[in-house]
Amino acid sequence: MRTKIVAGNWKMNKNLEETEALLSELSAKLPNTHAEVIVAPTYVNLALAQRNLQASSIKVAAQNMHFAENGAYTGEISADMLLNIHVDTVILGHSERRAYFGEDDELLAKKVNTALDKDMTIIFCFGEELEERKSGNHFSVVESQLKNALFHLDASAWKNIVLAYEPVWAIGTGETASPEQAQEMHAFIRKTISEAYNTEVADEVSILYGGSVKPGNAADIFGKPDVDGGLIGGASLKADDFIAIIKAI
Ligand code: 13P
């Protein structure tokens, strides 16, 4: 059975007090769920989040990390720094990192290797841009993103990988992929992994959908057989909306 996951990517939002408030509200209102619930606050509030959620089943993830062990990388954060504050899950490859910070497949492969060397769990994001979908290239774009950053891994490494398909045209735009479009792509991703590895790896990996998931559309998207949950941006910043999305799974 694949793990169902609802993860909130808070991006560059919420100061210290707002983070504390949202964490308390989420902990208080968290419903009983079979799904794993994860939040990814900004770096400066990660240690606080980890401390405040100690008694909760909500897990904490980082939004990014560097591939190097340590050293002269001003502004960067290492895997060991995350593990030191008991954060063992990291989002890598988000389209905003790719678009605004020049992260390419080659760099992401290095980050993936480091995270796996440290036995961390990776939420690996990828997805096509609007032009790529319009021109019918979305399947080949997604296939090459996966291949270039992940397909050098051994099959055994995939137990630490969660995939998050996030079509760029659906992120923060209010326009979401239809449940059918999400299912079509998720099934394609699973088939691609099955061909590169085997059906066991493909059947076990959780594939999340991300891009304008809201309380009103979550149940339909999560209802599709190859959609194992969601990576939520804007709607994860409001406790009631995030809780409603968790209930939808
Ligand atoms: P939105 O839910 O705001 O569209 O963001 C999705 C996302 O980028 C999650 O990583």
Side-chain angles (χ1 to χ4, degrees):
M1 264 288 276
R2 294 193 285 273
T3 312
K4 302 277 183 189
I5 299 171
V6 180
N9 176 8
W10 294 3
K11 307 188 181 183
M12 196 172 73
N13 295 293
K14 303 283 176 193
N15 65 22
L16 184 82
E17 291 77 22
E18 291 163 346
T19 297
E20 278 187 310
L22 182 53
L23 293 172
S24 325
E25 202 179 343
L26 287 176
S27 309
K29 294 181 174 173
L30 188 72
N32 251 337
T33 174
H34 57 288
E36 194 170 290
V37 178
I38 302 175
V39 293
T42 180
Y43 276 132
V44 287
N45 294 324
L46 274 182
L48 166 101
Q50 185 58 38
R51 261 197 308 273
N52 289 17
L53 291 174
Q54 252 168 25
S56 162
S57 59
I58 302 174
K59 286 191 64 171
V60 177
Q63 296 177 18
N64 182 31
M65 62 167 231
H66 198 269
F67 61 81
E69 187 77 24
N70 54 39
Y73 297 100
T74 302
E76 293 290 331
I77 311 284
S78 72
D80 283 343
M81 290 171 185
L82 296 176
L83 292 170
N84 179 243
I85 57 165
H86 311 291
V87 172
D88 65 3
T89 302
V90 62
I91 297 172
L92 293 177
H94 194 279
S95 66
E96 288 147 18
R97 300 290 325 164
R98 294 176 191 256
Y100 308 141
F101 303 97
E103 297 201 7
D104 59 13
D105 292 343
E106 198 184 331
L107 175 73
L108 291 170
K110 287 192 196 172
K111 292 188 178 203
V112 163
N113 291 345
T114 300
L116 293 174
D117 281 347
K118 302 284 178 180
D119 201 24
M120 296 177 78
T121 295
I122 298 167
I123 301 176
F124 186 80
C125 305
F126 56 96
E128 82 283 0
E129 294 185 22
L130 184 59
E131 282 313 310
E132 293 164 336
R133 179 159 282 261
K134 278 187 178 162
S135 58
N137 290 329
H138 43 299
F139 293 116
S140 60
V141 167
V142 160
E143 185 172 3
S144 76
Q145 287 172 328
L146 291 174
K147 199 169 167 184
N148 295 341
L150 298 178
F151 283 3
H152 62 284
L153 300 173
D154 287 343
S156 63
W158 280 75
K159 67 179 188 333
N160 286 38
I161 307 272
V162 173
L163 297 178
Y165 168 60
E166 300 204 304
V168 179
W169 49 272
I171 296 179
T173 57
E175 184 176 349
T176 177
S178 68
E180 291 69 31
Q181 284 173 320
Q183 169 57 27
E184 182 187 36
M185 182 56 90
H186 284 220
F188 170 78
I189 293 163
R190 226 177 277 289
K191 180 170 90 47
T192 305
I193 295 169
S194 165
E195 284 164 6
Y197 291 88
N198 53 54
T199 49
E200 202 186 328
V201 172
D203 286 345
E204 284 298 312
V205 65
S206 297
I207 310 178
L208 316 184
Y209 168 80
S212 298
V213 177
K214 304 271 183 286
N217 60 23
D220 284 343
I221 297 171
F222 296 164
K224 293 294 176 189
D226 285 296
V227 178
D228 304 309
L231 182 56
I232 322 297
S236 71
L237 298 171
K238 292 189 201 121
D240 288 337
D241 284 0
F242 194 52
I243 295 290
I245 292 169
I246 295 165
K247 284 183 179 160
I249 209 165

